[in-house]
């Protein structure tokens, strides 16, 4: 698969759009996709970081008068000119998907790119402009998610809405699970990669007035922060750790007990690792996101903290003395954001990195060992261990049946799991389990999506529906099928009848 990505980063735009696009690009590349970024504006070192990750970067310039969008000035030219230069930058690449993440580009630009891209995905947060896309992603939480883009995208476009699709790097998922007792021993300060209003410097100056000397403080800024030198000096004087363009953000979030920062993708990063946060927006496009997340109990967003120092000091002190509130914020965040958003988006793009092949007799030993694992038996219809002769007889029969398809999914040369389709009329009943050690975020969903695609391409005549039966106590499988778009259509009940004594 080939994927083009059109996005920018600057002191005006910030670095969040580029950061989440690189997160998705990295996930796609791990699944075998080739990536080409097309950018007009980039902050210091950004192109080198993209290239170091293995992504091609094409730079374009611009011309023409800005269009009529609220953020048109961010582009530095007209959409028509940008579209023409993006088409030229993608010449010879022929992307299967073109991803656009830019508040200054809308349906007009997307229609112009149809000559270069087979399908288009738009990433948006604002719902303030029309899109001519096949897939739309808004990873934020809003009260009106279902209706938010009703008039903004084609009726045929699929919409990925909410923080379950948050584009987070794998290290955030790896840092989940830390127990937090509500005490505040370490504070993390981070207001985005640019922080043009220098809220970072403001908070650093205030913290000695409200935190005891025993509380450690970590401050994170981007390499392009306009007040970098002053912040580094202030941190050195106060004894705070200062991290510039760090690759340890997930680790720092996991170590902290309280965060002070802005909206944007960081809201979902903090939630994923269960880090309670005091948050205020640093840009107009963050206001609704922060307010809705606060209403949902995912963060604390007090009024006036963005500009009244005394109000901010009172809020920090109150949080430090409220262990039950901090614990509640932590639990709500972790329950809302599971860190598997990038995998879900990759699946929506049809990029799993999983190849399917029919099972062969040579797979018998592996299948026997995998099927008899306690974790697999626990969620199977037959939960008893399978004797080897019974397994060999079953496999021989299965390989000879026209109404049963048994497949192995592989990724990067390693077996990911096994999928079986039992055919009856127009239905295929699916059964699935992962091989030992393959339980990373989204692994089951990737295997299922690849198997569905295999069935679509190799489909026996008449099969048009896939059915799954899940045991009532198998919550993870139920969640996987629901996430993959399966709809529940019935409930089954049973009761054991014991003979009278």
């Amino acid at each position: 698969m080939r994927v083009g990505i059109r996005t920018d980063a600057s002191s005006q735009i910030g670095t969040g759009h580029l950061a989440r696009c690189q997160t998705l690009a990295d996930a796609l590349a791990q699944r075998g996709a080739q990536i080409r970024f097309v950018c007009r504006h980039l902050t210091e070192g950004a192109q080198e970081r993209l290239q170091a990750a293995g992504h091609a970067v094409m730079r374009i310039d611009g011309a023409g008068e800005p269009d009529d969008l609220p953020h048109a000035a961010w582009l530095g030219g007209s959409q028509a000119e940008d579209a023409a230069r993006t088409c030229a930058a993608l010449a010879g690449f022929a992307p299967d998907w073109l991803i656009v993440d830019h508040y200054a580009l809308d349906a007009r630009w997307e229609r112009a790119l149809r000559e270069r891209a087979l399908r288009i995905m738009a990433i948006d947060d604002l719902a303030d402009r029309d899109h001519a896309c096949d897939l739309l992603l808004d990873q934020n939480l809003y009260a009106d998610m279902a209706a938010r883009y009703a008039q903004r995208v084609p009726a045929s476009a699929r919409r990925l809405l909410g923080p379950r699709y948050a584009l987070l790097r794998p290290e955030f998922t790896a840092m989940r699970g830390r127990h937090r007792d509500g005490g505040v021993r370490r504070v993390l300060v981070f207001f985005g990669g640019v922080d043009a209003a220098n809220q970072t410097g403001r908070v650093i100056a205030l913290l000695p007035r409200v935190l005891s000397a025993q509380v450690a403080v970590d401050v994170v800024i981007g390499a392009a922060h306009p007040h970098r030198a002053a912040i580094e000096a202030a941190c050195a004087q106060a004894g705070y750790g200062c991290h510039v363009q760090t690759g340890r953000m997930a680790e720092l979030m996991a170590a902290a007990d309280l965060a002070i920062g802005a909206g944007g993708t960081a809201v979902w990063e903090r939630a994923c690792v269960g880090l309670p946060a005091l948050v205020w927006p640093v840009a107009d496009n963050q206001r609704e996101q922060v307010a809705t997340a606060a209403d949902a109990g995912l963060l604390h967003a007090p009024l006036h903290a963005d500009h009244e120092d005394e109000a901010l000091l009172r809020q920090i002190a109150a949080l430090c003395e409220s262990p039950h509130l901090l614990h509640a914020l932590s639990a709500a965040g972790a329950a809302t954001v599971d860190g598997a958003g990038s995998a879900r988006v990759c699946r929506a793009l049809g990029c799993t990195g999983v190849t399917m092949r029919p099972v062969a007799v040579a797979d018998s030993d592996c299948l026997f060992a995998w099927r008899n694992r306690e974790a697999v038996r626990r969620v199977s219809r037959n939960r008893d261990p399978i004797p080897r002769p019974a397994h060999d007889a079953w496999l021989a029969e299965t390989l000879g049946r026209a109404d049963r398809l048994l497949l192995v999914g592989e990724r990067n040369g390693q077996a990911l799991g096994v999928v079986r389709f039992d055919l009856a009329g127009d239905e295929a009943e699916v059964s699935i389990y992962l091989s030992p050690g393959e339980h990373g975020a989204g692994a089951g969903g990737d295997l299922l999506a690849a198997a569905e695609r295999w069935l679509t391409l190799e489909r026996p005549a008449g099969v048009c529906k896939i059915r799954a039966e899940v045991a009532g106590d198998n919550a993870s499988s139920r969640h996987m099928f629901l996430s993959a778009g399966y709809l529940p259509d019935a409930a089954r009940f049973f009761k054991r009848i014991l003979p009278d004594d």
Side-chain angles (χ1 to χ4, degrees):
M1 176 178 285
R2 292 178 296 276
V3 179
I5 300 178
R6 173 70 184 93
T7 193
D8 284 333
S10 69
S11 59
Q12 183 181 35
I13 296 170
T15 60
H17 300 270
L18 181 65
R20 65 188 178 190
C21 282
Q22 182 173 353
T23 296
L24 180 56
D26 292 346
L28 289 166
Q30 289 172 0
R31 291 161 170 78
Q34 300 176 46
I35 310 297
R36 179 178 291 187
F37 276 85
V38 179
C39 304
R40 177 176 292 184
H41 310 290
L42 285 175
T43 50
E44 178 185 351
Q47 179 167 336
E48 291 75 16
R49 288 190 292 275
L50 291 173
Q51 291 171 332
H55 309 311
V57 180
M58 302 293 289
R59 300 297 296 269
I60 62 174
D61 54 15
E65 291 297 318
D67 293 288
D68 54 354
L69 296 177
H71 295 83
W74 287 15
L75 194 61
S78 71
Q79 288 198 67
E81 185 66 24
D82 192 283
R85 301 194 182 200
T86 301
C87 281
L90 293 173
F93 187 63
D96 300 286
W97 280 95
L98 174 60
I99 298 171
V100 54
D101 186 355
H102 207 301
Y103 293 162
L105 299 175
D106 68 3
R108 291 167 288 186
W109 185 94
E110 291 158 7
R111 282 192 288 266
L113 265 295
R114 286 292 180 183
E115 66 179 78
R116 278 284 182 261
L118 184 63
R119 289 162 293 184
I120 293 176
M121 172 177 137
I123 302 178
D124 197 1
D125 309 290
L126 305 179
D128 66 345
R129 62 201 187 281
D130 294 338
H131 292 285
C133 61
D134 304 283
L135 183 65
L136 180 129
L137 166 65
D138 186 337
Q139 65 182 11
N140 297 294
L141 181 67
Y142 298 104
D144 59 344
M145 290 299 292
R148 189 171 170 79
Y149 291 95
Q151 306 303 318
R152 293 294 189 184
V153 300
S156 60
R158 183 180 177 188
R159 284 171 272 181
L160 309 179
L161 305 175
R164 67 190 308 271
Y165 296 103
L167 298 174
L168 306 182
R169 299 192 302 276
E171 55 262 37
F172 291 96
T173 307
M175 291 294 176
R176 288 170 58 81
R178 176 195 158 187
H179 172 71
R180 299 181 187 275
D181 60 10
V184 177
R185 293 167 290 273
R186 195 170 202 94
V187 173
L188 175 66
V189 178
F190 175 58
F191 283 89
V194 174
D195 182 23
N198 196 23
Q199 291 292 319
T200 305
R202 172 184 172 234
V203 171
I204 293 171
L206 292 174
L207 285 182
R209 294 175 53 189
V210 69
L211 297 181
S212 72
Q214 285 71 43
V215 177
V217 176
D218 289 303
V219 177
V220 176
I221 59 174
H225 197 293
H227 302 275
R228 173 177 171 178
I231 288 172
E232 289 177 321
C235 286
Q237 182 176 358
Y240 299 162
C242 186
H243 310 268
V244 179
Q245 206 66 49
T246 181
R248 298 175 51 233
M249 181 60 81
E251 180 184 340
L252 292 170
M253 286 187 176
D257 303 298
L258 173 66
I260 302 174
T265 301
V267 168
W268 312 124
E269 292 171 348
R270 293 185 295 249
C272 183
V273 301
L275 174 60
L278 191 160
V279 178
W280 60 90
V282 297
D284 287 341
N285 58 63
Q286 295 179 0
R287 294 191 183 281
E288 188 177 0
Q289 176 211 30
V290 170
T292 308
D295 289 343
L298 305 179
L299 52 84
H300 184 56
L303 296 176
H304 311 304
D306 59 335
H307 62 280
E308 293 184 11
D309 290 353
E310 295 304 318
L312 175 57
L313 288 169
R314 288 194 299 271
Q315 294 296 331
I316 296 173
L319 281 174
C320 290
E321 297 170 1
S322 304
H324 295 296
L325 174 57
L326 293 177
H327 186 270
L329 293 172
S330 174
T336 301
V337 184
D338 64 4
S342 294
R344 293 187 179 102
V345 176
C346 287
R347 286 197 293 275
L349 294 169
C351 185
T352 64
V354 179
T355 58
M356 306 300 300
R357 63 168 177 82
V359 163
V361 174
D363 298 310
S364 181
D365 290 345
C366 290
L367 295 181
F368 175 69
W370 298 346
R371 174 58 182 80
N372 272 329
R373 292 172 56 236
E374 194 276 334
V376 174
R377 288 191 290 107
R378 188 172 60 246
V379 297
S380 301
R381 287 174 180 163
N382 179 5
R383 303 191 178 191
D384 298 326
I386 306 296
R388 184 60 190 250
H391 165 78
D392 291 341
W394 171 86
L395 182 59
E397 178 201 11
T398 291
L399 295 181
R401 289 176 58 168
D403 62 346
R404 176 170 290 172
L405 306 171
L406 192 61
L407 311 170
V408 171
E410 297 176 330
R411 183 154 62 189
N412 299 325
Q414 299 294 319
L416 184 63
V418 178
V419 179
R420 189 181 81 211
F421 290 110
D422 289 309
L423 311 179
D426 65 348
E427 288 189 351
E429 181 181 357
V430 63
S431 303
I432 181 172
Y433 63 84
L434 294 172
S435 60
E438 293 290 351
H439 294 282
D446 285 347
L447 179 61
L448 178 61
E452 290 173 354
R453 179 166 178 77
W454 187 95
L455 184 67
T456 299
L457 296 174
E458 305 292 335
R459 177 169 47 199
V463 174
C464 61
K465 182 166 58 175
I466 304 176
R467 177 169 56 89
E469 186 171 317
V470 180
D473 58 351
N474 189 356
S476 61
S477 288
R478 186 165 59 252
H479 178 71
M480 179 187 69
F481 283 112
L482 289 172
S483 297
Y486 286 66
L487 301 174
D489 63 356
R492 299 180 67 219
F493 300 87
F494 73 90
K495 181 177 182 179
R496 295 190 184 278
I497 304 297
L498 301 179
D500 293 332
D501 293 335

